Every structure is written in C-alpha cells, then in structure tokens.
Amino acid sequence: MAELSAAAPLTTADGRPLKAALASAQARARRRAFVLVLPLLAFVLLTFILPIGQMLYRSVYHDGFSSAAPQLAAWFDANPEGTAPDEAAFAALAADLKQMKADKSAGEAGTRINYNVSGTRSLFTSTARAADKLEPPYREALLALDAKWGQPIIWQAMRSAASPYTSDFYLVATDRERDASGKAVKVAENERIYLYLFFKTFWLSGLITGICLVLAFPIAHLLATLPMAKSNLLMILVLLPFWTSLLVRTTSWMVLLQGQGVVNNVLVALHLIDDQGRLAMINNETGTIIVMTHILLPFMILPLYSVMRTIPPSYARAARSLGATSWTTFRRIYLPQTLPGIGAGGLLVFILAVGYYITPALVGGADGQMISNLIKFHMDKSNWSLAAALAALLLAGVLLLYWLYDRLIGIDNLKLG
C-alpha cells in the first residue's frame, strides 16, 4: 500500500500529467465547438434576437413630443401629476410651439398626442402657424386661438408624452386610454377594435387548426399504412403545394372562389344553386378559412405522419384479439400514441396562422382581416410604436401557447416530421 501511495502520478507519452492533458483537450474541444457554432449564433442574434429586442424597445419608446417640447416637459417634471396648468405651463407651451414652427416639428409632436387624443395633430399645426403672434398672458392667448387647449385630457396626454418612455401604446393596443386624471379606462364601445381583432385572430387560427387536424388525420394514417408505392405518390401530392409560391396559390384560390369563379360556375352548372344565388366565398372570413386551411394543411400532416409511422400495427391487433371494438382500439390505443404529433402539428399550424398576412389581405377583405393586417397598417402610417406594441402582445400570446403545450404534452415530445 505504501508503494502505491508513493507512486508517481500518471502522465502522457510526452511527460505531461494526465489530468492536465485531459483538461487541456477538453478545453480545446469546447473552443472548437464554439467556433463552429459561432456563425449560427451570430445569424440568430442578427436576424432574431436583435429585431425582437428592437420591437420591444420601440413599443415603449417614442420621442416625437418630448424632444419637440422640452420646456413643457420640464414643467411637467417640476409639477406632480394632477397639477392644473398655470400661466407658466402655458408660457412653456407657447415657447415650444414657436420653436416647433421654426423646426417644422409641430406635425410630428401633434401626431404623437393624436395617438392618445384624436384630432390634436391639426390643433398643434394650426396653433404653431400663429405661434409668433402669441403674447402674454399666454393662457388667454392660446385659448383664444383654440378652446381645446383648456381641455384636461389634452394636458394629460401631453404629460404622458413628455417622457419618451411610455406604456400608452400598450393601453391603446388593449382598447384603453388615459382620462383627464391619468387613470387608464376602457375606450367607448364603438371605438374598440384591437381586442376584437386579437380575439378574432386567435379564434380563426384555432378554427383553422381544428379543420386541418380533422382533414390531416386520415391522410397521415393512409401515409403510414399504405404500401410504399402508393404512400410515396400520396406524399408527393401532400408536398406539391410547397413547390408553388404562396402568392400564386393565394391568387389561384381567388380565381376559384370569386363570384364568377370556377367553384360557383360548377355549382350553377350542376343546378345546386341558381345564377342569382352564387356563394360569397371571397373578401370575407370564409375565403380566409378555406385558403389558409389549404396552405397550412401539410404542416399538420407531416408531424402526424412522423408519429403514426412509428406506431406498431401489432398494438391494434392485440387490442382487437382481447375483445376491444374498433372505436375502443382507436380511442385507447391508437389516439394516445398520436398525441405528440397532434400537439406539434397544432402548435405549428396555430402559430403560423396567427401571424399570416398575405392570405387575409388578398382573400379576406374587410371581414377576413386579422391582427397582422392591422400591424401592417400602422407600420404604413409610421406609428411604429403602436405596431410594435401589437406585435409584442401577439408574441406574448404565442409564448403562452408554447408554455401551455410544454405543460400539457411536454416540449421533449415535440415531433415535427
């Protein structure tokens, strides 16, 4: 025992301690692996992480008013919320309006306030044009130009916009606004649009996912059970839409579904409907559902097929030999084993449907629009902050769905084909 304890430590052929050599080799392997994945990490950072971070930042940042009205912003900082505007506040506003006229920034500042109180952009631009004629007392001078300058809700909107960092866009995105006291309240019933579109988007996405599941399940079962030659032919038919442009597929459906389109003409020729009773299947929700179901169906079929092909047929035969009916065999033996594919396909189709833009824009019309179309509208109108807030809420909804999937089925069971 004494000889063993006194023995020299193990070394490599070149005399280095074995433990140090192994540590050095492992360190080199880790560095080599990091270098190999570095391009992918950079790609993900530049095309995914940074854009999402920029979107979240823009949803709470807007500098359109605070930089154009520094004196009024300073007055708001010096006076707590709820303080009524005094002569000093109106003097600061008048000075900022004069500077806005010189800088030609009244439109941008008014647009920022217009996000909270509609109609205020014209108030800023018209008052800025006459700002050089304003003289003390500024309160009376501004009220003489336009009585709206005395409305508390406008002053509350300017206070909220005095800081470039704000949560106002999330309030607007959830059909809420700030009253004259700064409290968040719901907008009038006839002005609510965003929450309705969110609900409509998730409802249509869920409906399309359900329809895809009903249509894809038997197709995937046939793919998994048919002989190889027939199965390959069916797989080609399933994958065929992927070889065609999304825009081409959508416009083709427009030709099929329009009032004088192929579908209506066939129904009229078969005397199933008369010429005056042609079906309205475009520029509405019906068109959106039909076209998106066709486009997204392969994304449900492939995950289901990847799971079904691994289910041994002997399980069903064993259940039947023990006296189980066909329905019992399907419900208790076959269906539970397909749940990972159902969950993966449902998750994939739902997430894709939630963010779809081209199809609802072309075939949905006014009735078939989804939240993605409204985000695009606000981006065109240069209200990037509101568009970012809407996109952030949509992202939060998708992440919640992902979390529910992980809790109910487990992300480790995700099978996408």
Side-chain angles (χ1 to χ4, degrees):
M1 295 297 293
E3 293 178 358
L4 289 176
S5 60
L10 295 176
T11 60
T12 60
D14 57 358
R16 296 173 59 195
L18 182 59
K19 184 177 181 180
L22 288 175
S24 178
Q26 290 175 352
R28 285 197 304 270
R30 286 194 295 267
R31 288 194 296 269
R32 189 181 299 110
F34 177 75
V35 171
L36 290 175
V37 302
L38 187 60
L40 178 60
L41 290 175
F43 177 79
V44 172
L45 179 65
L46 292 175
T47 62
F48 185 73
I49 304 298
L50 288 181
I52 290 180
Q54 179 69 9
M55 178 196 71
L56 296 176
Y57 179 74
R58 288 296 298 267
S59 68
V60 295
Y61 180 86
H62 196 290
D63 197 25
F65 181 80
S66 58
S67 60
Q71 297 192 42
L72 188 58
W75 184 88
F76 284 128
D77 288 339
N79 294 271
E81 188 167 347
T83 304
D86 53 13
E87 178 62 20
F90 281 94
L93 175 60
D96 287 333
L97 286 170
K98 292 178 182 179
Q99 189 61 41
M100 289 178 195
K101 180 181 180 181
D103 298 339
K104 297 182 180 180
S105 59
E108 183 180 0
T111 299
R112 170 63 184 89
I113 306 303
N114 196 75
Y115 295 153
N116 296 79
V117 183
S118 60
T120 49
R121 187 182 189 280
S122 59
L123 175 65
F124 273 82
T125 54
S126 61
T127 306
R129 285 194 295 267
D132 291 337
K133 301 177 181 179
L134 294 174
E135 296 180 355
Y138 290 108
R139 178 187 178 89
E140 284 73 11
L142 285 167
L143 292 177
L145 282 178
D146 199 312
K148 291 181 180 179
W149 288 116
Q151 294 180 1
I153 192 171
I154 292 181
W155 282 91
Q156 178 58 45
M158 290 192 295
R159 176 182 286 276
S160 179
S163 171
Y165 296 96
T166 177
S167 61
D168 285 354
F169 297 106
Y170 283 98
L171 290 179
V172 175
T174 53
D175 290 330
R176 301 173 73 85
E177 61 183 3
R178 297 190 187 278
D179 60 12
S181 64
K183 182 181 178 181
V185 296
K186 292 182 179 180
V187 301
E189 187 73 28
N190 59 343
E191 296 179 2
R192 298 175 186 174
I193 179 174
Y194 299 108
L195 288 181
Y196 166 74
L197 267 181
F198 272 115
F199 174 79
K200 180 180 178 181
T201 297
F202 281 90
W203 157 249
L204 287 179
S205 300
L207 178 61
I208 291 167
T209 302
I211 296 174
C212 285
L213 175 60
V214 172
L215 295 177
F217 202 95
I219 297 175
H221 180 69
L222 287 175
L223 283 170
T225 57
L226 283 176
M228 185 61 67
K230 295 180 179 179
S231 176
N232 288 339
L233 177 61
L234 184 57
M235 180 62 76
I236 291 175
L237 296 177
V238 169
L239 297 177
L240 191 61
F242 285 120
W243 304 338
T244 309
S245 166
L246 173 62
L247 184 61
V248 171
R249 281 180 281 166
T250 303
T251 52
S252 299
W253 274 105
M254 294 172 66
V255 175
L256 290 171
L257 298 178
Q258 61 183 315
Q260 299 296 326
V262 176
V263 175
N264 271 304
N265 287 339
V266 170
L267 293 177
V268 171
L270 295 175
H271 301 289
L272 297 176
I273 60 174
D274 56 41
D275 194 55
Q276 303 300 321
R278 290 176 176 264
L279 302 178
M281 295 182 290
I282 198 171
N283 294 327
N284 51 30
E285 289 185 7
T286 303
T288 299
I289 293 171
I290 292 174
V291 180
M292 288 183 64
T293 298
H294 168 257
I295 292 173
L296 296 175
L297 186 59
F299 294 99
M300 180 67 78
I301 293 175
L302 295 178
L304 284 173
Y305 166 67
S306 69
V307 172
M308 289 179 177
R309 68 178 181 177
T310 62
I311 300 176
S314 58
Y315 288 2
R317 291 196 296 267
R320 295 298 301 272
S321 67
L322 294 173
T325 63
S326 298
W327 167 245
T328 302
T329 302
F330 171 78
R331 179 173 57 88
R332 301 188 62 179
I333 304 300
Y334 193 78
L335 183 61
Q337 297 182 81
T338 65
L339 287 181
I342 293 175
L347 184 67
L348 184 60
V349 171
F350 188 89
I351 290 177
L352 290 174
V354 163
Y356 248 56
Y357 166 74
I358 294 178
T359 302
L362 293 180
V363 303
D367 293 335
Q369 298 293 293
M370 301 173 74
I371 195 64
S372 56
N373 303 103
L374 192 59
I375 293 173
K376 166 66 164 52
F377 170 79
H378 285 300
M379 292 174 66
D380 288 342
K381 296 296 182 180
S382 299
N383 192 353
W384 283 81
S385 294
L386 181 54
L390 291 169
L393 291 177
L394 189 61
L395 176 63
V398 172
L399 291 177
L400 177 62
L401 176 68
Y402 183 85
W403 177 80
L404 289 175
Y405 177 88
D406 186 39
R407 295 283 294 180
L408 296 176
I409 297 179
I411 201 64
D412 294 338
N413 296 322
L414 187 67
K415 295 184 182 298
L416 295 176

